[in-house]
Amino acid sequence: MSVLTTYSDLFLKAFGTTIQLFLFSAVGSLVLGTLLAMLRVSPVPVFRAAGATYVTLVRNTPLTLVFFFFAFAYPLLKIVRLDPFQGAVVALALYTSAFICEVVRSGINTVPVGQAEASRALGLTFGQMLFSVVLPQAMRSVVPPLVSTLIALLKNTTIAAGFSVSDAGSISYVLADEGANMLVGLSWVAFFFVVLVIPLTLVQRALEKRWSVAR
């Protein structure tokens, strides 16, 4: 307990940064992942190929390499300047969106084909059909894998500590420099990650319960 009380400011600041990283990158990955899933099921071959290429490349690239790109290669392009925190958000969002895409696409595939045919018969466009008919049904079936992907994203935020972001992953570096008890310190880090995961699990269960009744 002494480690936690002695370094309480460090834990609060680090986990505050971790929560911000998670929230921003989660929103970005959900939006981009959904758009990628739309490309994957698009009737236009070029869009399908573009979506498949992105997902294949990103899913097979280690997240650390994505961070390396935004930390060292991206600044050389001189497009838009990103500080370490912004670069970490973009890296996490781009990486996680590939997995979100596959989760959403699997949900879209569970919707009966007759739903799409009926939508086209009513004169709905492809976009209207997806947003009004297919996606609302698809999201109900992908809650567990979607939450699992977000939990993985939360844990992946620790990689940002190696790229000048003072999040929960950087706590071990500070404790090591201060000569503190690493075992106790890292145990507290693990405990707080469990605490952060609990709300996501509760949201998952609530949505599953609500939507199972709706079905």
mmCIF file with all atom_site columns, all heavy atoms in Angstrom, residues 115-126:
data_model
loop_
_atom_site.group_PDB
_atom_site.id
_atom_site.type_symbol
_atom_site.label_atom_id
_atom_site.label_alt_id
_atom_site.label_comp_id
_atom_site.label_asym_id
_atom_site.label_entity_id
_atom_site.label_seq_id
_atom_site.pdbx_PDB_ins_code
_atom_site.Cartn_x
_atom_site.Cartn_y
_atom_site.Cartn_z
_atom_site.occupancy
_atom_site.B_iso_or_equiv
_atom_site.pdbx_formal_charge
_atom_site.auth_seq_id
_atom_site.auth_comp_id
_atom_site.auth_asym_id
_atom_site.auth_atom_id
_atom_site.pdbx_PDB_model_num
ATOM 1  N N   . GLN A 1 115 ? -33.275 -9.245  -46.065 1.00 0.00 ? 115 GLN A N   1
ATOM 2  C CA  . GLN A 1 115 ? -33.413 -7.878  -45.552 1.00 0.00 ? 115 GLN A CA  1
ATOM 3  C C   . GLN A 1 115 ? -32.880 -6.870  -46.570 1.00 0.00 ? 115 GLN A C   1
ATOM 4  O O   . GLN A 1 115 ? -33.503 -5.833  -46.814 1.00 0.00 ? 115 GLN A O   1
ATOM 5  C CB  . GLN A 1 115 ? -32.640 -7.746  -44.239 1.00 0.00 ? 115 GLN A CB  1
ATOM 6  C CG  . GLN A 1 115 ? -33.136 -8.619  -43.120 1.00 0.00 ? 115 GLN A CG  1
ATOM 7  C CD  . GLN A 1 115 ? -34.357 -8.036  -42.437 1.00 0.00 ? 115 GLN A CD  1
ATOM 8  O OE1 . GLN A 1 115 ? -34.690 -6.873  -42.611 1.00 0.00 ? 115 GLN A OE1 1
ATOM 9  N NE2 . GLN A 1 115 ? -35.043 -8.855  -41.663 1.00 0.00 ? 115 GLN A NE2 1
ATOM 10 N N   . ALA A 1 116 ? -31.728 -7.187  -47.157 1.00 0.00 ? 116 ALA A N   1
ATOM 11 C CA  . ALA A 1 116 ? -31.146 -6.290  -48.157 1.00 0.00 ? 116 ALA A CA  1
ATOM 12 C C   . ALA A 1 116 ? -32.000 -6.258  -49.412 1.00 0.00 ? 116 ALA A C   1
ATOM 13 O O   . ALA A 1 116 ? -32.212 -5.195  -50.019 1.00 0.00 ? 116 ALA A O   1
ATOM 14 C CB  . ALA A 1 116 ? -29.720 -6.732  -48.486 1.00 0.00 ? 116 ALA A CB  1
ATOM 15 N N   . GLU A 1 117 ? -32.494 -7.417  -49.825 1.00 0.00 ? 117 GLU A N   1
ATOM 16 C CA  . GLU A 1 117 ? -33.329 -7.467  -51.029 1.00 0.00 ? 117 GLU A CA  1
ATOM 17 C C   . GLU A 1 117 ? -34.617 -6.684  -50.840 1.00 0.00 ? 117 GLU A C   1
ATOM 18 O O   . GLU A 1 117 ? -35.071 -5.978  -51.744 1.00 0.00 ? 117 GLU A O   1
ATOM 19 C CB  . GLU A 1 117 ? -33.632 -8.923  -51.368 1.00 0.00 ? 117 GLU A CB  1
ATOM 20 C CG  . GLU A 1 117 ? -32.392 -9.726  -51.768 1.00 0.00 ? 117 GLU A CG  1
ATOM 21 C CD  . GLU A 1 117 ? -32.707 -11.192 -51.986 1.00 0.00 ? 117 GLU A CD  1
ATOM 22 O OE1 . GLU A 1 117 ? -33.823 -11.623 -51.608 1.00 0.00 ? 117 GLU A OE1 1
ATOM 23 O OE2 . GLU A 1 117 ? -31.841 -11.915 -52.519 1.00 0.00 ? 117 GLU A OE2 1
ATOM 24 N N   . ALA A 1 118 ? -35.207 -6.787  -49.644 1.00 0.00 ? 118 ALA A N   1
ATOM 25 C CA  . ALA A 1 118 ? -36.425 -6.028  -49.367 1.00 0.00 ? 118 ALA A CA  1
ATOM 26 C C   . ALA A 1 118 ? -36.142 -4.529  -49.364 1.00 0.00 ? 118 ALA A C   1
ATOM 27 O O   . ALA A 1 118 ? -36.963 -3.730  -49.837 1.00 0.00 ? 118 ALA A O   1
ATOM 28 C CB  . ALA A 1 118 ? -37.008 -6.457  -48.020 1.00 0.00 ? 118 ALA A CB  1
ATOM 29 N N   . SER A 1 119 ? -34.968 -4.144  -48.853 1.00 0.00 ? 119 SER A N   1
ATOM 30 C CA  . SER A 1 119 ? -34.592 -2.727  -48.827 1.00 0.00 ? 119 SER A CA  1
ATOM 31 C C   . SER A 1 119 ? -34.434 -2.172  -50.233 1.00 0.00 ? 119 SER A C   1
ATOM 32 O O   . SER A 1 119 ? -34.885 -1.065  -50.536 1.00 0.00 ? 119 SER A O   1
ATOM 33 C CB  . SER A 1 119 ? -33.282 -2.548  -48.045 1.00 0.00 ? 119 SER A CB  1
ATOM 34 O OG  . SER A 1 119 ? -33.424 -3.004  -46.724 1.00 0.00 ? 119 SER A OG  1
ATOM 35 N N   . ARG A 1 120 ? -33.783 -2.969  -51.091 1.00 0.00 ? 120 ARG A N   1
ATOM 36 C CA  . ARG A 1 120 ? -33.621 -2.524  -52.479 1.00 0.00 ? 120 ARG A CA  1
ATOM 37 C C   . ARG A 1 120 ? -34.972 -2.440  -53.182 1.00 0.00 ? 120 ARG A C   1
ATOM 38 O O   . ARG A 1 120 ? -35.204 -1.550  -54.003 1.00 0.00 ? 120 ARG A O   1
ATOM 39 C CB  . ARG A 1 120 ? -32.683 -3.478  -53.227 1.00 0.00 ? 120 ARG A CB  1
ATOM 40 C CG  . ARG A 1 120 ? -31.229 -3.314  -52.861 1.00 0.00 ? 120 ARG A CG  1
ATOM 41 C CD  . ARG A 1 120 ? -30.322 -4.017  -53.862 1.00 0.00 ? 120 ARG A CD  1
ATOM 42 N NE  . ARG A 1 120 ? -30.492 -5.472  -53.796 1.00 0.00 ? 120 ARG A NE  1
ATOM 43 C CZ  . ARG A 1 120 ? -29.755 -6.268  -53.027 1.00 0.00 ? 120 ARG A CZ  1
ATOM 44 N NH1 . ARG A 1 120 ? -28.812 -5.750  -52.269 1.00 0.00 ? 120 ARG A NH1 1
ATOM 45 N NH2 . ARG A 1 120 ? -29.952 -7.573  -53.029 1.00 0.00 ? 120 ARG A NH2 1
ATOM 46 N N   . ALA A 1 121 ? -35.874 -3.360  -52.858 1.00 0.00 ? 121 ALA A N   1
ATOM 47 C CA  . ALA A 1 121 ? -37.208 -3.332  -53.466 1.00 0.00 ? 121 ALA A CA  1
ATOM 48 C C   . ALA A 1 121 ? -37.978 -2.084  -53.063 1.00 0.00 ? 121 ALA A C   1
ATOM 49 O O   . ALA A 1 121 ? -38.813 -1.581  -53.823 1.00 0.00 ? 121 ALA A O   1
ATOM 50 C CB  . ALA A 1 121 ? -37.988 -4.584  -53.063 1.00 0.00 ? 121 ALA A CB  1
ATOM 51 N N   . LEU A 1 122 ? -37.663 -1.571  -51.862 1.00 0.00 ? 122 LEU A N   1
ATOM 52 C CA  . LEU A 1 122 ? -38.325 -0.344  -51.393 1.00 0.00 ? 122 LEU A CA  1
ATOM 53 C C   . LEU A 1 122 ? -37.666 0.912   -51.944 1.00 0.00 ? 122 LEU A C   1
ATOM 54 O O   . LEU A 1 122 ? -38.131 2.018   -51.680 1.00 0.00 ? 122 LEU A O   1
ATOM 55 C CB  . LEU A 1 122 ? -38.298 -0.300  -49.859 1.00 0.00 ? 122 LEU A CB  1
ATOM 56 C CG  . LEU A 1 122 ? -39.170 -1.345  -49.137 1.00 0.00 ? 122 LEU A CG  1
ATOM 57 C CD1 . LEU A 1 122 ? -38.924 -1.297  -47.643 1.00 0.00 ? 122 LEU A CD1 1
ATOM 58 C CD2 . LEU A 1 122 ? -40.644 -1.095  -49.451 1.00 0.00 ? 122 LEU A CD2 1
ATOM 59 N N   . GLY A 1 123 ? -36.573 0.746   -52.673 1.00 0.00 ? 123 GLY A N   1
ATOM 60 C CA  . GLY A 1 123 ? -35.920 1.887   -53.297 1.00 0.00 ? 123 GLY A CA  1
ATOM 61 C C   . GLY A 1 123 ? -34.834 2.527   -52.462 1.00 0.00 ? 123 GLY A C   1
ATOM 62 O O   . GLY A 1 123 ? -34.374 3.633   -52.776 1.00 0.00 ? 123 GLY A O   1
ATOM 63 N N   . LEU A 1 124 ? -34.396 1.856   -51.391 1.00 0.00 ? 124 LEU A N   1
ATOM 64 C CA  . LEU A 1 124 ? -33.338 2.421   -50.550 1.00 0.00 ? 124 LEU A CA  1
ATOM 65 C C   . LEU A 1 124 ? -31.987 2.298   -51.249 1.00 0.00 ? 124 LEU A C   1
ATOM 66 O O   . LEU A 1 124 ? -31.723 1.319   -51.937 1.00 0.00 ? 124 LEU A O   1
ATOM 67 C CB  . LEU A 1 124 ? -33.277 1.699   -49.204 1.00 0.00 ? 124 LEU A CB  1
ATOM 68 C CG  . LEU A 1 124 ? -34.505 1.787   -48.294 1.00 0.00 ? 124 LEU A CG  1
ATOM 69 C CD1 . LEU A 1 124 ? -34.246 1.049   -46.989 1.00 0.00 ? 124 LEU A CD1 1
ATOM 70 C CD2 . LEU A 1 124 ? -34.869 3.240   -48.007 1.00 0.00 ? 124 LEU A CD2 1
ATOM 71 N N   . THR A 1 125 ? -31.142 3.305   -51.049 1.00 0.00 ? 125 THR A N   1
ATOM 72 C CA  . THR A 1 125 ? -29.790 3.238   -51.580 1.00 0.00 ? 125 THR A CA  1
ATOM 73 C C   . THR A 1 125 ? -28.952 2.297   -50.715 1.00 0.00 ? 125 THR A C   1
ATOM 74 O O   . THR A 1 125 ? -29.384 1.860   -49.640 1.00 0.00 ? 125 THR A O   1
ATOM 75 C CB  . THR A 1 125 ? -29.130 4.626   -51.590 1.00 0.00 ? 125 THR A CB  1
ATOM 76 O OG1 . THR A 1 125 ? -29.002 5.098   -50.230 1.00 0.00 ? 125 THR A OG1 1
ATOM 77 C CG2 . THR A 1 125 ? -29.973 5.620   -52.384 1.00 0.00 ? 125 THR A CG2 1
ATOM 78 N N   . PHE A 1 126 ? -27.733 1.988   -51.176 1.00 0.00 ? 126 PHE A N   1
ATOM 79 C CA  . PHE A 1 126 ? -26.864 1.101   -50.415 1.00 0.00 ? 126 PHE A CA  1
ATOM 80 C C   . PHE A 1 126 ? -26.567 1.674   -49.035 1.00 0.00 ? 126 PHE A C   1
ATOM 81 O O   . PHE A 1 126 ? -26.613 0.965   -48.025 1.00 0.00 ? 126 PHE A O   1
ATOM 82 C CB  . PHE A 1 126 ? -25.558 0.873   -51.180 1.00 0.00 ? 126 PHE A CB  1
ATOM 83 C CG  . PHE A 1 126 ? -24.571 0.009   -50.459 1.00 0.00 ? 126 PHE A CG  1
ATOM 84 C CD1 . PHE A 1 126 ? -24.765 -1.361  -50.353 1.00 0.00 ? 126 PHE A CD1 1
ATOM 85 C CD2 . PHE A 1 126 ? -23.440 0.570   -49.866 1.00 0.00 ? 126 PHE A CD2 1
ATOM 86 C CE1 . PHE A 1 126 ? -23.855 -2.162  -49.677 1.00 0.00 ? 126 PHE A CE1 1
ATOM 87 C CE2 . PHE A 1 126 ? -22.527 -0.232  -49.193 1.00 0.00 ? 126 PHE A CE2 1
ATOM 88 C CZ  . PHE A 1 126 ? -22.741 -1.591  -49.096 1.00 0.00 ? 126 PHE A CZ  1
#
